[in-house]
Structures are given as structure tokens and as C-alpha cells.
Amino acid sequence: MPDTGASDAFVAFERVQKSYDGETLVVKDLNLSLPKGEFLTMLGPSGSGKTTCLMMLAGFETATNGEIKLDGVSINNIPPHKRGIGMVFQNYALFPHMTVAENLSFPLEVRKIGKSEREKKVQRALDMVEMGAFGGRRPAQMSGGQQQRIALARALVFEPELVLMDEPLGALDKQLREKMQFEITDLAHRLGITVVYVTHDQTEALTMSDRVAVFDDGRIQQLAPPDELYEAPQNSFVAQFIGENNTLEGVVKEIKGDHCIVQLDGGETIDAKPVNVSKVGERTRVSIRPERVEVDPQLGPDAHTLKATVKEFVYMGDIFRTRLQVAGNSDFVIKTRNRPDQRRLRPGEEVTIGWLTEDCRALDAG
Ligand SMILES: Nc1ncnc2c1ncn2[C@@H]1O[C@H](COP(=O)(O)OP(=O)(O)OP(=O)(O)O)[C@@H](O)[C@H]1O
Ligand SMILES: [Mg+2]
């Protein structure tokens, strides 16, 4: 989904900053806009500012600077319960003394919806998360996954246009988590709900989202659809944080258009695609994905080859995972598909490896 200008955005953060102590900024200069119906995930290491951003959007924290807009209107001075936002926070528990039905009815009572209408909406929301028969239970009488689904139903029962979720599946086992990932995205797309989702699980982010905002140190490092994030990381942090990645360190020797020449610390010279290097003499980290490397390459003229020594060869069924020593890096990992023509390598063996120049990205030195 293309980035939208602030004008047609449904949710917009404009130059938002946040400091809790008046000194350090934990959100540094956030500009982010979402069109209606988008599923956007904030992904990043612990402490990078994800929850803080969600709390400001929800209205539980105020921005130190900048503006947050909903449907073009500033909501800086609107209290949380008047923003009409559904929320599922990991520690935003169900009311323990109320039944499931009462928990779901509550946001409707607050909105002055009549009894018969409330009952209809509660039942519909419960059916939606396949918990139709659980209206009379109390939270303590349900499993973690069932409570999580009720929390989701409660966030959706008043048909909000925007739902915020902070690690909503963190407490669930893998199987239930994957089922709920599907249920949430399916529901959001069916109802046209805009979702801002927070996780530190990159697989969850890549599989669920229209776009992912990668956070580090209070800033968005890259905002892009999942495939672009994986295939075209814009800096070393994103390349390392998303998926598995090989790096070779060196110095930029020459830049001409969409090619550059890098002298690796191991002595070899290679061609790369300059991504965020700009000057000759600059140190760089060249980044290559494990599945883009070929052994005994037959890639044609726009390929680059290097000699490597096999350190370890692991048979994994569908793929072979080989660790190599290449240009001073003894932890260079490649993944090859298990095909009849793919030979199995032995530790100590010398091989030639290669890749296309466009798969070899010269990034900042980190
Ligand atoms: N109420 C608070 N008072 C003071 N500092 C806070 C408060 N809440 C968060 N912080 C600080 O702000 C920074 C960002 O925290 P935040 O909770 O937004 O991170 P996060 O990306 O959600 O991390 P996690 O993945 O661990 O949940 C951290 O350095 C944190 O210590
Ligand atoms: Mg958090």
C-alpha cells in the first residue's frame, strides 16, 4: 500500500515527540500516516517506543510535541473514551467480577446504547470470535486464549473504525497464536477496520501486516510492506533485524550510479548496490541474504563470485544450511534448496560462491 500524504490519512502522527522525564526523548520525530482500512504493525526491540506511540494514540499518554490526528482532526485534547478507539492491550484485562456478556456490554452502555440493541451486538461479537456459548462465564473460568478472544470481541463490539493492539497474542502458545493471527487479520479486512498492531515477533509482523514500521531508539527506521522490508532493507539495522542476513565489512572505493565497488577487509574487491553509502572512503557493511547465494554459481555476467571454505554443512530436509568462511567472515550462512542436482558439501572443502550484484547491498557501517 503506498504511503499516503497527511491530507487523506485516517490516522496521522505529525512530528510527534515524547519525553517522560523532560530530558530524554523516547519518541524522537514520528511522522506516520495510515489510510482507512490499513493493517499497520509497529515492530522493534524492547524499549524502542512502540507502546508509547500506541498509548499516545489511545490518549493514555500525551505527546510532548507534535500532533496526532484522526480523520484529519487533532485529537491531542480529546480524552481516551471519546476517541472511539477499540483496544486490546496485553495488560488491559477483562473485568474479573463481570461475566463475559457484561464485559462486552460495558462499552455499549458507556455509549448509551439501549438494552435490546446491546444484547444483539454482544451476541454478534461473541459469535464472531466463536465464543457464542460463553456469555455467562467469568474471565477466571476460561483459558488464556479464550480470554484473549473475549478481549478482542470487547474491542470490536462497538464497531470502532480504529483498533489498537499491543502484543495481544504474547501469552498464547504457537498453535493458538497462529490461529488468532489469521482470525484478527481476516476480521479486520472483512469489517474494513484500521489496525495499529504492536509486536516484537517479526514473523507475526510480516505475515499479518499491509505495512510494517520498524522502530529503533524512538525512530522509524523503515516503513514498508513486508516483502520490501525483507528484500530491500534501507539500513544495517533493518537488514539485521528482519530475517537472516550476512554482512561483509569494507570500504567504498568507487560509486557510479547504481553500482559501487567495495574493498572488503579480507582484501577482495566486490561490486554492490549502493543503498545508503554516499562517499568514497566511507566504511560500509555489505548485506546479502542466505538464499540469494549460489554454490558453483551459473548466474551470468552480472554476478559476483568469491572463494569460500566450508565450515559446517547441515542437512535440514527441505534445505541445506551451510556455514562458510568468506572474506574474513567465518559465519557466512547460505541456504540452498534440496534438489537432486545440488551437491552436499564437506567441511574443509573449498568452493566458489556467487550472487547477483543487485542482491548485494552496501549499507551504513552500523
Ligand atoms: N511511564 C513511563 N515512565 C517513564 N519512562 C517510560 C514509561 N513508559 C516507557 N518508558 C520508557 O520509554 C522507552 C520506550 O518504552 P516503550 O514501552 O514505548 O517501549 P516498547 O517499544 O513498547 O518496548 P517493549 O517491546 O519492551 O514493550 C523505554 O526506554 C522505557 O523505559
Ligand atoms: Mg511495549
Side-chain angles (χ1 to χ4, degrees), residues 31-340:
N31 290 290
L32 174 63
S33 51
L34 286 76
K36 216 178 191 112
E38 177 165 43
F39 196 114
L40 181 128
T41 297
M42 297 177 169
L43 173 72
S46 183
S48 56
K50 308 179 297 292
T51 296
T52 301
C53 289
L54 220 58
M55 295 300 260
M56 289 191 289
L57 183 53
F60 297 123
E61 290 291 346
T62 55
T64 308
N65 276 305
E67 213 156 17
I68 300 175
K69 290 181 178 167
L70 200 55
D71 227 355
V73 178
S74 172
I75 54 170
N76 282 26
N77 298 315
I78 299 178
H81 65 278
K82 294 210 169 134
R83 295 188 183 193
I85 300 175
M87 284 168 236
V88 190
F89 290 166
Q90 205 180 346
N91 52 3
Y92 193 73
L94 299 168
F95 301 118
H97 58 287
M98 292 184 188
T99 65
V100 164
E102 287 163 357
N103 261 283
L104 263 63
S105 195
F106 183 73
L108 300 171
E109 283 169 45
V110 171
R111 289 174 175 76
K112 310 262 187 279
I113 294 177
K115 187 159 184 288
S116 67
E117 186 67 16
R118 280 204 311 265
E119 282 168 2
K120 251 188 266 161
K121 285 185 191 285
V122 167
Q123 195 55 46
R124 202 179 328 141
L126 285 177
D127 289 341
M128 201 159 55
V129 295
E130 293 168 32
M131 294 287 289
F134 285 70
R137 298 263 188 116
R138 286 184 196 279
Q141 298 169 319
M142 294 184 298
S143 73
Q146 290 168 339
Q147 291 184 44
Q148 205 74 69
R149 276 193 268 172
I150 298 301
L152 184 64
R154 188 179 59 176
L156 297 171
V157 71
F158 61 95
E159 293 157 25
E161 290 180 298
L162 175 62
V163 175
L164 313 183
M165 303 192 196
D166 195 349
E167 308 254 4
L169 310 180
L172 307 184
D173 66 46
K174 189 172 182 291
Q175 213 177 341
L176 190 54
R177 200 163 67 224
E178 284 171 1
K179 181 172 183 291
M180 291 289 291
Q181 286 170 358
F182 172 76
E183 280 180 17
I184 291 172
T185 45
D186 182 55
L187 213 72
H189 287 135
R190 253 189 307 125
L191 304 181
I193 300 169
T194 309
V195 180
V196 184
Y197 193 93
V198 169
T199 183
H200 60 252
D201 178 338
Q202 54 159 293
T203 308
E204 190 164 296
L206 295 181
T207 55
M208 293 179 82
S209 319
D210 295 318
R211 286 189 304 167
V212 179
V214 180
F215 274 69
D216 186 41
D217 194 24
R219 283 185 205 283
I220 293 180
Q221 301 293 320
Q222 189 167 353
L223 171 65
D227 55 344
E228 191 180 323
L229 213 52
Y230 182 81
E231 286 169 33
Q234 289 305 305
N235 62 38
S236 284
F237 177 83
V238 176
Q240 287 297 108
F241 193 74
I242 307 288
E244 206 169 0
N245 184 51
N246 290 301
T247 57
L248 297 171
E249 311 240 348
V251 174
V252 178
K253 282 288 165 199
E254 202 178 314
I255 304 181
K256 23 178 194 187
D258 59 355
H259 267 63
C260 68
I261 295 171
V262 175
Q263 171 134 44
L264 300 177
D265 290 351
E268 299 86 343
T269 301
I270 61 167
D271 278 0
K273 179 185 169 79
V275 178
N276 68 342
V277 291
S278 55
K279 299 191 291 288
V280 169
E282 192 176 338
R283 283 203 64 79
T284 178
R285 253 183 212 167
V286 173
S287 146
I288 309 145
R289 295 290 183 195
E291 69 279 10
R292 293 297 168 98
V293 181
E294 286 200 15
V295 180
D296 310 326
Q298 288 166 2
L299 293 165
D302 195 31
H304 197 85
T305 61
L306 279 181
K307 294 276 178 227
T309 308
V310 178
K311 287 288 178 193
E312 189 182 24
F313 177 85
V314 183
Y315 175 87
M316 297 184 74
D318 58 341
I319 62 158
F320 304 148
R321 187 186 156 84
T322 313
R323 193 163 59 81
L324 301 164
Q325 165 113 29
V326 185
N329 179 350
S330 59
D331 204 17
F332 194 99
V333 170
I334 66 174
K335 293 179 187 165
T336 32
R337 270 204 297 143
N338 182 358
R339 287 181 309 219

